[in-house]
Amino acid sequence: MLKVQPLQWLRYRARFRLPHSYQPLTNIRPKIVVPLTTTVHLTSRSIGTQTETMVESDPQQQPSTSSSNPSVRAAFQDLLGVTNDDLKNTFYQRELPNTLVRFASPEGKKLFREAMDDGQAEGFFPLTGNFTTQSEPAYCGPSSLAMVLNALEVDPKRRWKGNWRWYSDEFLQCCSSKEEMKIKGITFDNFACLAKCHCDVQVNRAFDFTFEKFLEDVERVTSTSDKFMVISFSRKVLGQTGDGHFSPIGAYNAQERKVLILDTARYKYPSYWCPIEMLFESMNPIDKETGRPRGYFVLSYDVEHPPLSLCDINSGTCCSTAEKQQESPVDLTTGSGSMSSKQLREEAKLNWSTIAKSFCQRIPENMWLEKPRTLEHVVRLVLRNVPKEYSSILANQSLASFNATNPDKRAEEYINELLYDTTKSPLYPIVMDALYPKRENHSYTPIDTNAAFATLFVLGSPRMLYTSLPKDLRDRLDSFRRDENLSATMKHEVHRISEEVVDLTTAFCTCGPNWTLLDSNGVSGDKKECCSGSSNNNCN
């Protein structure tokens, strides 16, 4: 017969909720008769996963406590979703090196108050109001960009979640796939490409700027709330673990010469103040993935001149042509100077570096190799080496710019006027001959959209593309750009296209002759090493 203590009995009753009508006798010790062949084990589990035996049974029938405790403990840990293996080789933040000052420390707060008093923390509040901790260990680049775009109040024109439009780091995957970024992160060039799809970006790579230039930009962006700076640097120089990383800066203390880094990897390091000289040096080490140094970006947004975007461009489409033509334009990818199938596969993935490479390398090289002697040949060469999608991008940007500046005017009327004026340009029939060599045998609509946009593009292409041409061809091209041959609408578009191409090559041209710096005689500078920039780099 088993004996049960009163306390055990009460626990037994509470556990099994016996009817209230049943009450034990107060003066009689309760007893429970249990057959020897039956063993009852009543247990209760505490928060600390400790077990307590509720019923004393025959020692021969009692299970071993040492064997039951581990299983109960494991079950409770499993209930909490935590096991000992989960915490192996894991970390909760890192200690900042002594050379860096934690933002939330008393000294960090003092540095911030001084920066505020000097007007060098204007960008802090828009940024901290949109502070984003990167959602993946390698998402420091997209996370920094998402934070800045939200601080600039850029409308992504895409649904985020529910009914809301918003930027988040997993949202930004124009120039690299989400899978690639999760595994490898993004490089300096990838970030520049991604940023240009959503805002205006000034790209500054180390060794191309001085410390004084960097200091000037830091002072400029921290004194305003409509421009922001993102740094691409090596953590090793700062005494931190890891290597390549992206983060925006939030303030600058001129008295102590320290910059506030709003680290997107908050699970690793908090925001901190860094000496500006050390931050400058941290951009210089060569990125082993690309063989080039890092740098910084200045990001802004102009509502009236929205950026060109690659995000919605289908690689199989280009700008629309007139209604079904009787003859398609000549295949500009064939003939001398055309790219091989291997090159086409390499260039299949459209990005800003690919487009810039057309202007700073392929077109000048082909001009030199083919030595065209007619303008038709020049037009074919230029159009053959520029991705077809770029025409669609320019057309979309033109519409977006018009809609932003002329909300009360119909865009269709503007486009029709632009196309009509373009057909009056002396260059237009030359472009038609280049696109349709046998066009005298066919009838065409009065306005060929494809030829019109090609005409605008050639007119807007920088003169330095044509420095290797004979003088008579260069003079003819220059004459087509004169005011008497351009309407006001055409002048606006040609100027806009020219600015876009110059900005593009300034930011992304890292191969071929530096044609933006050619002198009046067309003498180019030394060739730079061609940037592949395709390898990616983890955030560390």
Side-chain angles (χ1 to χ4, degrees), residues 120-256:
Q120 298 294 153
E122 294 301 311
F124 171 81
F125 295 100
L127 285 172
T128 195
N130 295 281
F131 206 123
T132 303
T133 300
Q134 58 195 71
S135 60
E136 295 286 343
Y139 269 22
C140 55
S143 179
S144 298
L145 182 58
M147 190 192 313
V148 170
L149 291 174
N150 289 325
L152 289 169
E153 299 183 353
V154 179
D155 185 348
K157 305 295 184 182
R158 284 179 55 189
R159 186 189 300 271
W160 169 58
K161 294 180 181 178
N163 296 326
W164 301 103
R165 301 193 298 270
W166 195 249
Y167 280 105
S168 59
D169 52 11
E170 71 274 8
F171 194 76
L172 300 167
Q173 45 182 310
C174 290
C175 304
S176 299
S177 69
K178 184 182 294 186
E179 292 71 23
E180 285 180 321
M181 290 193 296
K182 279 186 177 182
I183 297 173
K184 301 178 181 179
I186 62 176
T187 61
F188 185 90
D189 290 331
N190 291 146
F191 184 95
C193 172
L194 192 60
K196 185 169 175 58
C197 290
H198 301 277
C199 64
D200 298 325
V201 55
Q202 297 176 19
V203 181
N204 301 274
R205 193 183 286 274
F207 303 135
D208 290 339
F209 59 87
T210 63
F211 173 77
E212 289 71 22
K213 164 66 174 171
F214 174 59
L215 176 60
E216 179 184 344
D217 284 343
V218 167
E219 292 175 337
R220 179 166 54 90
V221 299
T222 55
S223 63
T224 183
S225 59
D226 58 2
K227 292 181 184 293
F228 299 95
M229 180 182 290
V230 173
I231 303 286
S232 175
F233 63 97
S234 171
R235 285 192 184 275
K236 291 181 180 179
V237 178
L238 272 57
Q240 301 174 336
T241 61
D243 195 5
H245 192 58
F246 292 88
S247 278
I249 69 168
Y252 174 60
N253 187 305
Q255 300 177 35
E256 300 295 333

Side-chain angles (χ1 to χ4, degrees), residues 26-39:
T26 56
N27 297 327
I28 300 178
R29 188 170 183 170
K31 295 182 180 180
I32 299 178
V33 179
V34 181
L36 291 176
T37 58
T38 304
T39 303

Side-chain angles (χ1 to χ4, degrees), residues 469-512:
L469 292 177
K471 187 176 184 302
D472 60 322
L473 293 184
R474 281 186 284 132
D475 291 342
R476 285 188 66 189
L477 281 174
D478 287 341
S479 69
F480 297 152
R481 293 188 173 99
R482 290 174 185 161
D483 289 347
E484 60 265 25
N485 292 321
L486 299 176
S487 67
T489 306
M490 286 182 65
K491 264 193 260 184
H492 173 76
E493 287 300 320
V494 168
H495 179 69
R496 184 185 62 79
I497 291 172
S498 181
E499 282 188 333
E500 290 291 346
V501 174
V502 170
D503 289 344
L504 175 67
T505 52
T506 301
F508 295 95
C509 244
T510 55
C511 17

Side-chain angles (χ1 to χ4, degrees), residues 154-155 157 195-200 300-309 352 393-405 496 500:
V154 179
D155 185 348
K157 305 295 184 182
K196 185 169 175 58
C197 290
H198 301 277
C199 64
D200 298 325
S300 60
Y301 186 75
D302 186 352
V303 177
E304 296 185 353
H305 298 88
L308 300 175
S309 179
W352 291 117
I393 295 169
L394 289 172
N396 292 336
Q397 201 271 353
S398 178
L399 285 174
S401 177
F402 174 82
N403 290 330
T405 54
R496 184 185 62 79
E500 290 291 346

